[in-house]
């Protein structure tokens, strides 16, 4: 399919209220799902309480599956988390948790660059 055909299809679905676009997060079925940016949703993995500094961080494929996101979106989220000093390269080939994010009060979202 051409890019313009996809854009027309998305515009039609949006006009009919089936989907909606959320800036920095993507397209979603209207009225469903977590619409926060992917980096915030992935960072929540570190806020879960079961993770500690030095633990292995999930690989890209695991994150793609868990969040239903593309590799590009997952790479971007990981890069942002690395920039925040939350995760980094471990001793092996993978990444590890370097520090834990502060817990936020319910309903408050993090600020992303």
């Amino acid at each position: 399919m051409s890019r313009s055909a996809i854009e027309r299809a998305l515009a039609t679905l949006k006009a009919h209220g089936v989907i909606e676009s959320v800036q920095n997060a993507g397209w979603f079925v209207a009225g469903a799902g977590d619409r926060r940016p992917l980096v915030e949703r992935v960072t929540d993995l570190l806020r879960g309480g079961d993770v500690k500094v030095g633990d292995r961080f999930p690989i890209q494929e695991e994150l793609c599956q868990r969040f239903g996101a593309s590799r590009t979106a997952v790479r971007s989220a990981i890069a942002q988390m690395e920039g925040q000093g939350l995760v980094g390269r471990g001793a092996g080939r993978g990444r590890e948790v370097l520090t834990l994010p502060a817990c936020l009060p319910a309903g408050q979202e993090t600020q992303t660059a």
Side-chain angles (χ1 to χ4, degrees):
M1 288 187 108
S2 70
R3 183 180 188 103
S4 62
I6 293 170
E7 288 171 352
R8 285 193 309 271
L10 290 173
T12 300
L13 290 170
K14 183 177 180 182
H16 284 81
V18 175
I19 63 172
E20 58 190 359
S21 174
V22 178
Q23 187 174 0
N24 297 325
W27 290 95
F28 293 90
V29 174
D34 187 346
R35 291 180 184 84
R36 294 176 301 145
L38 183 60
V39 66
E40 291 181 23
R41 293 185 285 150
V42 175
T43 300
D44 280 349
L45 292 175
L46 304 181
R47 287 191 184 102
D50 296 332
V51 179
K52 55 188 182 299
V53 173
D55 282 356
R56 174 185 127 353
F57 190 73
I59 61 172
Q60 287 180 19
E61 290 78 16
E62 290 174 47
L63 295 172
C64 288
Q65 257 188 338
R66 181 170 187 158
F67 294 101
S70 69
R71 288 178 148 230
T72 302
V74 167
R75 280 188 203 117
S76 175
I78 291 171
Q80 289 177 55
M81 293 176 75
E82 287 177 337
Q84 295 169 8
L86 297 173
V87 297
R89 293 286 176 193
R93 292 183 57 197
R95 289 179 179 83
E96 66 180 37
V97 177
L98 299 178
T99 189
L100 298 175
C103 291
L104 299 173
Q108 184 177 345
E109 297 180 354
T110 59
Q111 297 294 320
T112 58

